[in-house]
């Protein structure tokens, strides 16, 4: 496993922790984020198969969280950056 993939896994774990601690995140956003995280985990397990539109879904969620959950929005953007660096 590459350093980028390890970093991505670490960021995903941090994102899950922040999501669990976030208050007032609507159920739809929470579910979408879980789905995207599962897609990313599946892609990592398949050694780089890119999850379909995960990046755009994450960008949309980051924008949605920006006002009420800035730390969560930043964590989502960190995952997007890690996806790009890992080539996933």
């Amino acid at each position: 496993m590459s350093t980028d993939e390890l970093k991505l896994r670490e960021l995903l774990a941090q994102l899950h922790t922040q999501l669990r601690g976030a208050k007032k995140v609507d159920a739809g956003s929470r579910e979408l984020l879980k789905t995207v995280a599962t897609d990313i985990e599946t892609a990592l397990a398949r050694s780089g198969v890119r999850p379909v539109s995960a990046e755009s879904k994450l960008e949309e969620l980051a924008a949605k969280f920006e006002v009420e959950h800035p730390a969560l929005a930043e964590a989502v953007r960190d995952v997007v950056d890690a996806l790009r660096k890992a080539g996933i």
Side-chain angles (χ1 to χ4, degrees):
M1 184 176 305
S2 74
T3 303
D4 289 335
E5 289 175 344
L6 288 173
K7 179 70 174 172
L8 178 57
R9 287 185 187 279
E10 179 184 312
L11 288 170
L12 282 171
Q14 291 173 4
L15 181 59
H16 282 291
T17 299
Q18 288 186 353
L19 184 61
R20 280 192 299 273
K23 296 178 181 169
K24 298 183 183 179
V25 175
D26 66 272
S29 294
R30 192 176 293 271
E31 189 60 35
L32 181 57
L33 194 51
K34 287 179 186 178
T35 299
V36 171
T38 300
D39 290 347
I40 293 167
E41 288 292 336
T42 300
L44 286 171
R46 293 183 183 165
S47 300
V49 175
R50 187 176 191 91
V52 178
S53 71
E55 192 174 309
S56 63
K57 288 178 187 176
L58 285 170
E59 288 287 356
E60 182 180 326
L61 280 171
K64 184 175 182 177
F65 291 150
E66 191 63 44
V67 174
E68 290 188 35
H69 307 285
L72 188 54
E74 183 178 344
V76 171
R77 286 192 178 98
D78 288 344
V79 170
V80 171
D81 289 341
L83 281 170
R84 289 178 183 142
K85 288 177 183 173
I88 297 175

